[in-house]
C-alpha cells in the first residue's frame, strides 16, 4: 500500500531542499515512506537523493501556499476597496491590476479567485456565453436580475 504524503513528509522534503539537511539523517520510517512515494532513490554512486517528483511536489506546495496568501489579500482588497457598493461587479483583470501585474501572474489571480469561490467568499457571474463577460462579486451580494422584453 502506497503511503500518504503527510505534512511531516512534506516538511522533511522542504528541509532537505531549502536548508540542505542531510538526507541520510532522516528517520527510517520517513525514508521508507518517501521511497515508496517515489521521492527518494539512489544515484549512480549509491547515495540517497531526492527525485524530480519530490522537487515538483515541493514546488506545488510553495505555489499552493502563495495562492492561498494571495486569495486572502484579494478578499481583503475586494471588501475594502474594489467592491464597496452592494451588488457591484468586477472583472478579474481589474483585480489583477489592483493586486499588481508585476507581482502576480494572471493565472495566479484567477486561481486565487477560484479558491475564494470554492470557499464561498466570492461568486462569478457569467453575463453571456463568452469569457469576456465573466464578473466577480462578493458572495453575499445579489446579482442584478436579467431583464427580458417581449414583443407586443
Amino acid at each position: 500500500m502506497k503511503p500518504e504524503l503527510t505534512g511531516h513528509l512534506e516538511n522533511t522534503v522542504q528541509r532537505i531542499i531549502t536548508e540542505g539537511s542531510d538526507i541520510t539523517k532522516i528517520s527510517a520510517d520517513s525514508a521508507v515512506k518517501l521511497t515508496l512515494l517515489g521521492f527518494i532513490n539512489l544515484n549512480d554512486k549509491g547515495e540517497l537523493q531526492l527525485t524530480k517528483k519530490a522537487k515538483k511536489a515541493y514546488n506545488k506546495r510553495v505555489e499552493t501556499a502563495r495562492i492561498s496568501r494571495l486569495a486572502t489579500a484579494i478578499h481583503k482588497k475586494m471588501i475594502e476597496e474594489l467592491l464597496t457598493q452592494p451588488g457591484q461587479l468586477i472583472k478579474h483583470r481589474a483585480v489583477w491590476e489592483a493586486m499588481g501585474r508585476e507581482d502576480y501572474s494572471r493565472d495566479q489571480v484567477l486561481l486565487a479567485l477560484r479558491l475564494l469561490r470554492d470557499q464561498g467568499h466570492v461568486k462569478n457571474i457569467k453575463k453571456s456565453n463568452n469569457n469576456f463577460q465573466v464578473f466577480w462579486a462578493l458572495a453575499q451580494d445579489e446579482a442584478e436580475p436579467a431583464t427580458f422584453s417581449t414583443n407586443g
Side-chain angles (χ1 to χ4, degrees), residues 11-151:
N11 290 336
T12 301
V13 171
Q14 179 180 349
R15 279 195 311 277
I16 294 168
I17 291 174
T18 61
E19 300 171 13
S21 295
D22 188 358
I23 197 168
T24 61
K25 303 285 187 204
I26 64 175
S27 71
D29 182 54
S30 293
V32 168
K33 288 177 181 175
L34 289 171
T35 301
L36 290 173
L37 287 167
F39 285 15
I40 293 178
N41 65 10
L42 295 175
N43 63 15
D44 295 337
K45 298 176 186 174
E47 300 167 338
L48 290 176
Q49 68 178 10
L50 286 179
T51 63
K52 289 180 183 178
K53 184 176 181 180
K55 294 170 184 164
K56 282 178 71 174
Y58 168 73
N59 290 336
K60 183 177 180 180
R61 181 182 186 197
V62 168
E63 184 63 17
T64 300
R66 180 173 165 84
I67 296 300
S68 181
R69 287 190 305 273
L70 176 59
T72 301
I74 285 174
H75 189 236
K76 182 178 180 186
K77 188 169 280 279
M78 288 177 95
I79 290 172
E80 293 177 355
E81 298 175 28
L82 301 175
L83 299 176
T84 56
Q85 303 297 319
Q88 191 174 356
L89 304 175
I90 192 167
K91 289 187 175 185
H92 84 273
R93 185 174 189 92
V95 175
W96 180 29
E97 289 171 355
M99 296 309 296
R101 288 180 56 171
E102 296 80 31
D103 299 328
Y104 302 100
S105 72
R106 175 184 176 273
D107 287 341
Q108 288 173 327
V109 171
L110 281 173
L111 287 172
L113 285 168
R114 289 178 188 146
L115 177 62
L116 288 170
R117 180 191 60 202
D118 294 345
Q119 293 172 345
H121 298 295
V122 299
K123 58 186 172 185
N124 59 336
I125 300 162
K126 197 169 186 178
K127 293 202 169 214
S128 72
N129 285 334
N130 70 48
N131 288 337
F132 296 104
Q133 294 295 314
V134 176
F135 295 89
W136 295 87
L138 296 176
Q140 69 266 18
D141 291 343
E142 292 295 321
E144 57 190 56
T147 56
F148 297 98
S149 62
T150 59
N151 295 336

